[in-house]
Structure formats: structure tokens, C-alpha cells
Amino acid sequence: MEPPPAHTPLRLLRALIKAIRPNQAHKNLFVFMALVFVGRLSDTTLLSRVVAAFFLFTFASGSVYLFNDLLDVEQDRQHPKKRNRPIASG
């Protein structure tokens, strides 16, 4: 039996998700505090805008992580922890 190909679409998708560091997205939850401070948690229009802002901030920060990993790939490969990141590990 042959081993699976190294770069299947599912593996690439998993690597991409890991590279954008979704575990850091919890920091973007602070955008919801705006609704708390103005006392309009039940306003569905504002809630939908804040949800969109959450996803946009998450996308933006993930893009910055990817860009930084691309710029620092050679240095990350030498680092004991960073060398396991998807881009540095290949």
C-alpha cells in the first residue's frame, strides 16, 4: 500500500487553517464589547455588523500571520518551536 500524497487538498486546507492560528481569534471577541457598552445587545442589525467585524478582524490577523511566516520562513526553520509551523515545516 502506498502512502498518501504529501499535498492533498485536505492536508493543504488543514495546514492553512493551522497557519492562520485560529486559536488567536478569541482576542477579536473584544469587538462585541461595543454592543455591551452601548447597551444594544438585542439590536440584530448591530449584532450582524459586529459578527462581520469579528470575522474580518480574524481574517486580517490570519493574513498577517501568513505574510509574516512567509517572510521569516528560513529563520523559523531554525527556531525550536516555530519550525513546526506549516510553512516552515514545508
Side-chain angles (χ1 to χ4, degrees):
M1 182 183 287
E2 288 184 32
H7 297 294
T8 64
L10 184 58
R11 283 187 181 192
L12 289 174
L13 179 62
R14 285 182 184 160
L16 177 63
I17 291 171
K18 185 178 177 184
I20 63 171
R21 299 181 184 99
N23 58 324
Q24 300 293 327
H26 68 277
K27 297 172 189 173
N28 298 331
L29 291 172
F30 281 106
V31 298
F32 289 93
M33 295 306 293
L35 293 178
V36 173
F37 290 137
V38 297
R40 295 178 64 185
L41 283 170
S42 60
D43 186 331
T44 56
T45 302
L46 283 180
L47 181 61
S48 65
R49 289 179 180 178
V50 171
V51 168
F54 169 79
F55 285 109
L56 288 171
F57 279 133
T58 301
F59 174 76
S61 62
S63 298
V64 171
Y65 286 132
L66 285 174
F67 184 69
N68 182 56
D69 286 351
L70 288 170
L71 290 178
D72 298 338
V73 67
E74 292 304 322
Q75 295 159 348
D76 288 352
R77 286 182 177 150
Q78 305 304 317
H79 192 275
K81 291 182 183 178
K82 294 179 182 181
R83 68 176 172 218
N84 296 320
R85 290 181 179 168
I87 293 175
S89 66

